[in-house]
Structure formats: C-alpha cells, structure tokens
Amino acid sequence: MDPQRTVLVTGGAGFIGSHLCDELLAQKYSVICFDSLITGAKSNISKALTNPNFRFIECDVTQELPKLPKLSYIFHLASPASVIDYQAHPEETALVNSMGTIEMLKLAQEHQARFLFTSTSEIYGDPLEHPQKETYWGNVNTVGVRSCYDESKRFGETMTDLYVGKYGIDGRIVRIFNTYGPRMRKTDGRVISNLVNQALEGKPLTVYGDGLQTRSFCFVSDLVDGIMKMMVTDGLSGEVVNLGNPEEYTTLDLARKVLSMTGSSSTIVFYPLPKDDPKMRCPDISKAIQLLGWKPTVTLEEGLGKTIEYYKTV
Ligand code: UDP
C-alpha cells in the first residue's frame, strides 16, 4: 500500500461509505475499510473486495483496533444512520459517534492524517431557522427518541473541534442532509427506500403525519463528490460544511413522484407522525459552493430513476 495514498474509511461497508470506498479506489487510493456490519453489509463492498488496493477489517471502532499502515486520510462515517437503525441500536450509535470519534481522532493524531467527521443535519433537530446555515445552533431534544444520534453527532463535532484546537490535527466536519441511492437498505425505514419499495411491490405508500413535512434529497454520487472535495481541499481545518441538495419537497410530493415514476397503482395511506420528526429541513449550501466549488448535479428525477432500477434488482 502506498503510504502517501493510504486512507481509512470507517463505516466503509455502509450505504454512503461503500460508495466512498469505490470512488477512492477509482482515484487510485489504497483503502482500508472498517465496519462492524451492524447496519453495513459485505454485499455493498463485493466489487471493492476484488480490488488488491482494498482491505476490509470487521471491527467496532470503540473497541481495540488492529495495527495499521501509515494513513494519510481518515474518513469517519461509522454509525447507524436511519431513524429505525439508530433506534434499534441506540447505545452503539451514541458510543460510535462519541468514543469512536475520540479513538479516530487519536489515530489521526498518531498518523498525522487529515480527519473528516461525517456529522448530520440532525444536529439542527427540529429547526427554528430555515433553510439551515452552518451558523445555526439547532433545536434538539437531549433525551428524545433521536437523541442517541443527534447528541452523539453533536459531541463528535465538539471533539473534532477540540482536537483541531488543542492538538493541531487537520480535522473537518461535514453535515450530511438526507441522501439516497443504490445500496440504501430496503428495510432501513427511510422515506425513499420505503416508498419506492412499497410502490414496486404494489403495497400502499406510508406517508407519516399530514405529509407536509419537508426534506431535501441528495443523490449519493453528489454527496461522495462533496465529501472528497472537503477532504482534499487544503486550508479547511476546523471548517464545518453542510452537504445536501437544497431542492425541498414535502413527503406527499415525494410519494406522488414515486407513484408516477414507478407507474404503480398503489394508494397512499397516512400513519401518525413519529415523535420528534422535524417539520422541515433544507440545507443552505452557500458555504460548500464558496469553499469547495461544490453543488449537487443530479436531479431528483434522475436519482430516483437510478434508485428505482436498483431496487428492482435486490
Ligand atoms: N416518512 C414517511 N413515510 C415513511 C418513512 C418516512 O412519511 O415510510 C417521513 C418521516 O416522517 C420524515 C421524512 O419522511 O418526515 C423523512 O424520513 P426519513 O426517515 O427518511 O429521514 P429523517 O427523518 O431522518 O429526515
């Protein structure tokens, strides 16, 4: 492995992590992938596993870790990330983003590697400011059903900032807004995986609440491009940047779009809104545009089309 181009991706067998590994391999990096496989899957990295520059290690980053060759970048993505997944694994989620982040920061310090923490739009909670800029502090319930994720990501940001200030590591933070695409687990409970699979199976589409809550959806290839730019661009240590697609849709709009794009005759049924479900979410990406020259290029129609085709095959 080339020490100048050896990188670590935690959560590399997950939905976003596996696409990031593929992109790094395509750019000729040597990739070490850590994943505990609690929500990731080996099937996501089946192609990467055939590449001699890829090494998969099944491990939990909060536990003792194997000895590693010299790393130049550490991408810390490991965490359950869908509402259903982190509520099924609240302790693992809280610990991987807190203790796990500290372990990865220590590793970055030891290797003098550049560090990127993948935070989330969830740190804004149920936002009172719209769209959300990086300067907004958020509106988060510390003891709610989402707190294992929201609060541990907030703490992970704090520790990253602390290691930048106190130990001089080169650390960056991205806040990822709703992302979708192939490899998102069929049963992870997210709105796009649920609605598309329900439509394909001729089942009723489950819209929660009145369906007027909003989200904005970023296709995974755009997101990976943003993560790469955030890592390789010099001079961004200590920066926090939103990555997401600013086109905003209500859940009901999305359900109607899924019905028309799949040609499904499924009905729409309304279920109660889950507790602490944010009423709106949309990134302000002016900082990403300015610092990275990045903005999403894949339209919802294009991305949904690829996602629908993917779900037909799994
Ligand atoms: N949602 C929905 N039907 C579903 C799954 C989710 O209406 O089958 C809603 C959910 O209540 C939320 C939005 O879609 O308002 C996005 O949910 P998701 O779990 O994908 O992401 P998050 O809540 O983390 O943004």
Side-chain angles (χ1 to χ4, degrees), residues 81-83 86 122 146 178 189-192 194-195 198 206-209 211 213-215 217 251 273-274 277-278 281:
S82 82
V83 179
Y86 62 69
E122 284 281 329
R146 292 176 174 245
N178 296 61
R190 287 182 168 113
V191 68
I192 290 192
N194 274 6
L195 298 183
Q198 288 159 348
T206 55
V207 167
Y208 301 160
Q213 70 274 31
T214 67
R215 294 292 187 276
F217 300 99
T251 308
L273 190 68
D277 196 289
R281 185 184 292 149

Side-chain angles (χ1 to χ4, degrees), residues 149-263:
Y149 188 62
D150 303 8
E151 288 297 347
S152 64
K153 287 288 189 188
R154 290 172 71 95
F155 180 72
E157 290 198 10
T158 305
M159 288 312 295
T160 304
D161 187 58
L162 187 152
Y163 267 68
V164 169
K166 181 167 180 185
Y167 300 112
I169 75 152
D170 185 330
R172 293 106 192 273
I173 296 166
V174 289
R175 293 185 181 146
I176 300 176
F177 284 65
N178 296 61
T179 300
Y180 71 101
R183 298 186 192 156
M184 195 159 74
R185 242 179 40 251
K186 222 175 171 175
T187 53
D188 76 358
R190 287 182 168 113
V191 68
I192 290 192
S193 39
N194 274 6
L195 298 183
V196 170
N197 285 296
Q198 288 159 348
L200 292 176
E201 291 164 18
K203 294 180 179 157
L205 270 56
T206 55
V207 167
Y208 301 160
D210 56 11
L212 299 181
Q213 70 274 31
T214 67
R215 294 292 187 276
S216 50
F217 300 99
C218 186
F219 191 64
V220 66
S221 58
D222 278 332
L223 185 85
V224 165
D225 183 39
I227 290 176
M228 286 298 299
K229 287 195 162 78
M230 188 67 183
M231 183 60 109
V232 303
T233 306
D234 289 333
L236 297 186
S237 187
E239 293 290 352
V240 182
V241 173
N242 286 338
L243 293 180
N245 191 320
E247 257 185 45
E248 192 179 354
Y249 295 87
T250 66
T251 308
L252 204 49
D253 283 341
L254 179 71
R256 293 194 181 115
K257 200 173 268 294
V258 166
L259 285 180
S260 82
M261 286 188 67
T262 52

